[in-house]
Amino acid sequence: MGTDGRLRDVPQEWRVTASETPFTGGKTGVRTDRVVMPDGSVATRDYQVHPGSVAVLALDEQDRVLVIGQYRHPVRHKLWEIPAGLLDVPGENPLHAARRELYEEVHVKAEDWRVLVDMYTSPGGSDEAVRIFLARELSEAEGERFAASDEEADMEIARVPLADLVRGALAGELHNNCLLTGVLALTAARASGGLDTLRPADAPWPARPFEA
C-alpha cells in the first residue's frame, strides 16, 4: 500500500541461485529458476517466458465492440476475443503494435486511443504482460486486407453491443481473458469518472518498457 493509502503492486525480486531454459519455442519458452524463499529454503519455479502482448477493445459509435471468433487449440474452443498480438520486437512501442493488430485482424483504424488496463495474465506460471487499449473513432483502413493463415484463416469478425458482452461474461458464456477484462474495465471506467480519466495511449508501462 502506498503512502496515500492506495493499494499498489510493488516491484520485488527474490534471489535466484540458478536458472535454465529447458524449452524454447518460436515465440515463448519455459524457464526453471531456483528461488530463495523468505525462510532461507530454495524452491524450484517453472514458468513461461513471454515477450508480452497488446489487445484492443475497439468501440464504435453505436457502442459495439469489434470481436473476432478464433479457434484456440489448447482449450479446444472457438473463442470470441478482441484483436490482440505479441510484442514481437523487444522494446516495441505497444501503441504501434496495437495499431498493427487492429489493421491486420479486422482492417480497421482508430483516431482516439487510451490505455484501458494493464495486467499479468497468469503470474503464477507466466511472465506475460498485456496492455489493453481502448480505441474509438473507428473507420475502415486503407490498402489491402492482411492475408490470413492457420487459425486466422477461419476467423469470424463481428460487432457486438458492449452490454451483450458484459452479460455473456457474467453468464459464463465468454471466456477470453482480454475480452472479459476489457469489457468489464470499460464498464467500470464509465461508472467511475468517465473515459476521459483513462491514461493516455503513451502512458509508461514498467512491465514492458518502450521507446516513444
Side-chain angles (χ1 to χ4, degrees):
M1 186 172 294
T3 56
D4 58 1
R6 293 172 59 180
L7 201 65
R8 290 184 174 86
D9 293 335
V10 179
Q12 190 174 115
E13 189 168 353
W14 293 0
R15 186 164 66 91
V16 175
T17 62
S19 183
E20 61 180 14
T21 306
F23 170 77
T24 300
K27 298 294 184 180
T28 67
V30 174
R31 181 174 296 160
T32 299
D33 288 345
R34 298 278 290 168
V35 186
V36 179
M37 299 288 111
D39 64 0
S41 64
V42 178
T44 299
R45 294 290 178 264
D46 302 316
Y47 58 99
Q48 180 192 33
V49 179
H50 195 285
S53 307
V54 292
V56 184
L57 194 152
L59 188 69
D60 70 13
E61 69 283 352
Q62 298 179 47
D63 215 40
R64 299 177 302 176
V65 176
L66 266 169
V67 294
I68 55 179
Q70 187 170 347
Y71 175 67
R72 294 301 188 183
H73 186 70
V75 296
R76 307 304 198 270
H77 270 70
K78 190 167 189 175
L79 300 178
W80 285 104
E81 308 177 352
I82 56 177
L86 299 176
L87 292 169
D88 294 311
V89 181
E92 182 179 15
N93 187 307
L95 177 58
H96 297 170
R99 291 184 187 275
R100 179 184 68 237
E101 294 301 327
L102 190 63
Y103 168 76
E104 291 182 355
E105 295 198 345
V106 293
H107 202 66
V108 164
K109 63 180 181 179
E111 299 302 320
D112 185 273
W113 290 82
R114 307 289 176 97
V115 174
L116 188 53
V117 70
D118 297 327
M119 66 177 180
Y120 293 113
T121 57
S122 184
S126 174
D127 69 352
E128 181 183 11
V130 178
R131 168 159 281 187
I132 303 179
F133 290 92
L134 172 64
R136 294 179 293 174
E137 299 179 24
L138 310 181
S139 61
E140 190 79 5
E142 296 88 2
E144 295 184 3
R145 285 187 173 272
F146 187 76
S149 60
D150 300 326
E151 291 92 343
E152 292 184 355
D154 186 52
M155 196 164 61
E156 298 178 65
I157 300 173
R159 294 193 181 211
V160 180
L162 175 66
D164 290 351
L165 295 176
V166 172
R167 282 193 292 271
L170 298 179
E173 298 167 351
L174 301 170
H175 303 89
N176 176 262
N177 58 355
C178 289
L179 173 65
L180 300 185
T181 301
V183 300
L184 296 176
L186 175 57
T187 303
R190 284 178 164 173
S192 59
L195 302 186
D196 289 339
T197 64
L198 292 172
R199 288 172 290 161
D202 60 353
W205 189 17
R208 292 294 185 274
F210 61 92
E211 297 181 2

